[in-house]
Amino acid sequence: MDVSAHIEAVYEDIRRRNPGEGEFHQAAHEVLHAIGPVLRAHPEYSRARIVERLCEPERQLIFRVAWVDDQGTVQVNRGFRVEFNSALGPYKGGLRFHPSVNLGIVKFLGFEQIFKNALTGMAIGGGKGGADFDPKGRSDGEIMRFCQAFMTELYRHLGEHTDVPAGDIGVGGREIGYLFGQYKRITNRYEAGVLTGKPVGWGGSHARTEATGYGAVYFAQEMLATRGHDFDGRRVVVSGSGNVAVYAVEKVHALGGRVVACSDSSGYLVDEDGIDLDLLKEVKEVRRARISAYAEAKPTARFSARGSVFDVPCEIALPCATQNELTRQDAVALVKNGVLAVAEGANMPCTPEAVEVFRGARTLFGPGKAANAGGVATSALEMQQNASRDSWTFERTEDRLATIMRQVHAQCRATAETYGDDADDYVLGANTAGFLRVAEAMMAQGVV
Ligand code: NDP
């Protein structure tokens, strides 16, 4: 079969066999439509059905999570873990707690994770999980009981050599702590490497909290350098105000840029003075309040519940909230305002139509599986430290992170040139380089 027809057939099969999983279809479409050239160069991959095997998770778990809230009412949620591919190492990928979580979202995230993890060059496979639990407004005790109930089912599928979750939306250091405590209680093992994103005092890695946001900024910095630009004096817009967004803001400021806007699901905030990082952290990390509380505390800032953060003029945009948050209309506004580069701190935040606009305008565009790979790469460094019962300094860990991001960037460009005709095509480069590494491992490991 000719390669294009083969890819179309695989894609149609994915849609037919995974109905209603729109985000998974979207993520698969992007990868499948980037790997044509590599499949033409390697007909053995098609004979071994590498693509068909890659698109089918090795294992998908769906389970009930029953727990009791502060009023004594029994609550029932749904938990997920998709163990997508273990060709390169134990399944690795975060847990998301958000009311929107469903199987299609977990599969899209797990699928992305395979290629992202491969790009880091480290020994980690791809997986993802979570629950349709909404942590907003829940007490600390409720969060703890939910995490314990969730882990009471999930623990049997985990292990430092099997499956190693981390955080994602709604899951930070506090939740990882409760999850780890329950894992330890049930298994009677202090297996530090079974979860990453742990607090630094008991097995966590320095720079893990900062890694995804810092890494996205390093990636953007590398992209800008190819055209002789840097962050110094640039206007930047960051969407979201969670873990990834906060540390993206921190690194942009350290590099001399000025982040003038950020957001949460209730609206966006503009502060022409530059976002005050201490205040942002106080509002989001300590008070766990809405972003509007920042504007209430600072007269130079204004909050808007309507419109899009991407309408705020900027030279660099870092979408760091959630999937499909940056639409075609946003992309048109960004290009019209002269954006130079867009790097995805979140997973798949730009819609396919938005990516087309950036491509058409030759805006530098770094897809999430490359630009936000710093988080999982530092999780792998945390696993290394746990395995050797060692703890590295912040400087040493951040230095490794910066090196990894430079390598990911260089690998994307080199692969895009080899399999296409444009080194700026980071979508082609990231997907192809990630795919190649996984495909080679799968070929070597036989039909499993
Ligand atoms: P957090 O929960 O810390 O923050 C998420 C932020 O995005 C919040 O500001 C939240 O606003 C906003 N947000 C979430 N859902 C929506 C929505 N439906 N509409 C609008 N805004 C929304 O998560 P992270 O910062 O950890 O994750 C952000 C993104 O980065 C995700 O796509 C995640 O998959 C990705 N990522 C995270 C990594 C990590 O290490 N944490 C690693 C690689 C990727 P609100 O508080 O109002 O809900």
Side-chain angles (χ1 to χ4, degrees):
M1 201 192 288
D2 117 286
V3 166
S4 301
H6 177 206
I7 287 171
E8 279 316 313
V10 172
Y11 182 60
E12 278 316 308
D13 221 35
I14 288 172
R15 284 165 53 97
R16 185 179 58 76
R17 297 177 68 223
N18 305 279
E21 297 179 4
E23 290 85 359
F24 176 46
H25 302 167
Q26 185 182 331
H29 189 271
E30 181 192 302
V31 172
L32 291 174
H33 287 81
I35 59 173
V38 76
L39 292 180
R40 283 183 196 96
H42 292 274
E44 70 276 17
Y45 293 167
S46 297
R47 283 196 294 276
R49 296 224 160 192
I50 293 292
V51 183
E52 288 87 337
R53 284 196 271 151
L54 252 173
C55 294
E56 185 66 21
E58 291 177 14
R59 194 174 295 112
Q60 307 185 53
L61 309 159
I62 303 181
F63 51 95
R64 184 181 67 203
V65 186
W67 58 285
V68 182
D69 70 16
D70 284 349
Q71 281 68 48
T73 307
V74 175
Q75 299 282 343
V76 181
N77 286 100
R78 186 172 288 175
F80 302 87
R81 185 74 183 165
V82 173
E83 299 180 333
F84 225 118
N85 192 290
S86 60
L88 294 175
Y91 309 106
K92 184 88 199 82
L95 298 171
R96 177 177 293 191
F97 292 168
H98 193 272
S100 64
V101 167
N102 58 37
L103 184 60
I105 288 183
V106 177
K107 277 166 76 174
F108 121 63
L109 291 163
F111 189 69
E112 288 280 295
Q113 200 81 48
I114 304 171
F115 307 97
K116 177 190 313 193
N117 294 3
L119 271 176
T120 66
M122 305 177 101
I124 40 180
K128 199 84 186 189
D132 62 354
F133 168 71
D134 189 355
K136 278 200 192 75
R138 290 293 180 190
S139 70
D140 210 47
E142 290 178 314
I143 299 284
M144 181 179 75
R145 289 195 297 282
F146 178 80
C147 288
Q148 291 176 342
F150 182 85
M151 185 53 92
T152 300
E153 172 56 33
L154 190 63
Y155 87 94
R156 70 192 82 241
H157 306 288
L158 306 183
E160 61 183 330
H161 302 297
T162 308
D163 186 349
V164 183
D168 191 82
I169 291 178
V171 179
R174 173 181 60 165
E175 290 73 18
I176 292 292
Y178 293 146
L179 291 163
F180 184 81
Q182 184 72 348
Y183 182 86
K184 179 168 64 77
R185 171 156 80 176
I186 297 173
T187 60
N188 195 30
R189 280 166 64 85
Y190 201 107
E191 194 183 327
V194 74
L195 286 167
T196 60
K198 299 179 291 297
V200 171
W202 50 272
S205 173
H206 283 291
R208 174 61 188 93
T209 306
E210 294 82 358
T212 311
Y214 278 20
V217 174
Y218 285 137
F219 194 90
Q221 191 183 25
E222 291 294 308
M223 290 201 301
L224 289 166
T226 64
R227 295 191 183 168
H229 302 307
D230 59 27
F231 270 99
D232 200 24
R234 299 281 181 195
R235 277 176 73 91
V236 182
V237 163
V238 173
S239 67
S241 50
N243 171 255
V244 180
V246 164
Y247 292 96
V249 174
E250 185 165 283
K251 187 50 77 178
V252 169
H253 287 178
L255 294 175
R258 183 160 49 105
V259 178
V260 291
C262 65
S263 64
D264 67 14
S265 60
S266 63
Y268 72 92
L269 173 85
V270 180
D271 187 346
E272 288 292 341
D273 279 1
I275 296 290
D276 177 336
L277 197 63
D278 290 338
L279 179 58
L280 183 67
K281 284 186 182 175
E282 216 264 315
V283 168
K284 300 306 292 189
E285 294 181 352
V286 182
R287 287 159 56 191
R288 296 183 189 265
R290 311 311 297 153
I291 195 89
S292 51
Y294 178 108
E296 284 155 21
K298 191 148 184 272
T300 55
R302 85 183 147 79
F303 169 76
S304 172
R306 283 210 202 92
S308 165
V309 70
F310 300 111
D311 286 338
V312 180
C314 65
E315 294 159 291
I316 297 144
L318 304 172
C320 295
T322 194
Q323 66 274 359
N324 291 329
E325 55 162 318
L326 195 162
T327 63
R328 180 178 190 285
Q329 196 182 341
D330 295 324
V332 169
L334 284 166
V335 168
K336 191 164 144 273
N337 287 329
V339 73
L340 299 169
V342 179
E344 293 187 325
N347 284 309
M348 209 169 76
C350 300
T351 64
E353 297 76 23
V355 178
E356 272 316 304
V357 172
F358 295 138
R359 241 181 228 274
R362 291 203 58 77
T363 306
L364 289 164
F365 173 72
K369 58 172 71 76
N372 71 38
V376 76
T378 308
S379 274
L381 299 179
E382 183 173 333
M383 290 162 73
Q384 268 183 41
Q385 293 169 71
N386 293 152
S388 58
R389 298 189 186 278
D390 196 3
S391 177
W392 305 347
T393 61
F394 192 98
E395 292 67 30
R396 178 175 173 194
T397 319
E398 195 194 351
D399 196 49
R400 284 288 306 271
L401 166 67
T403 305
I404 292 166
M405 294 314 294
R406 272 196 299 276
Q407 286 167 347
V408 169
H409 177 267
Q411 203 185 341
C412 288
R413 289 188 72 85
T415 312
E417 266 186 326
T418 305
Y419 288 92
D421 52 13
D422 179 6
D424 285 350
D425 191 345
Y426 291 92
V427 174
L428 180 85
N431 285 302
T432 304
F435 172 80
L436 266 168
R437 189 162 170 242
V438 183
E440 279 303 303
M442 288 176 73
M443 290 296 288
Q445 292 170 21
V447 179
V448 290

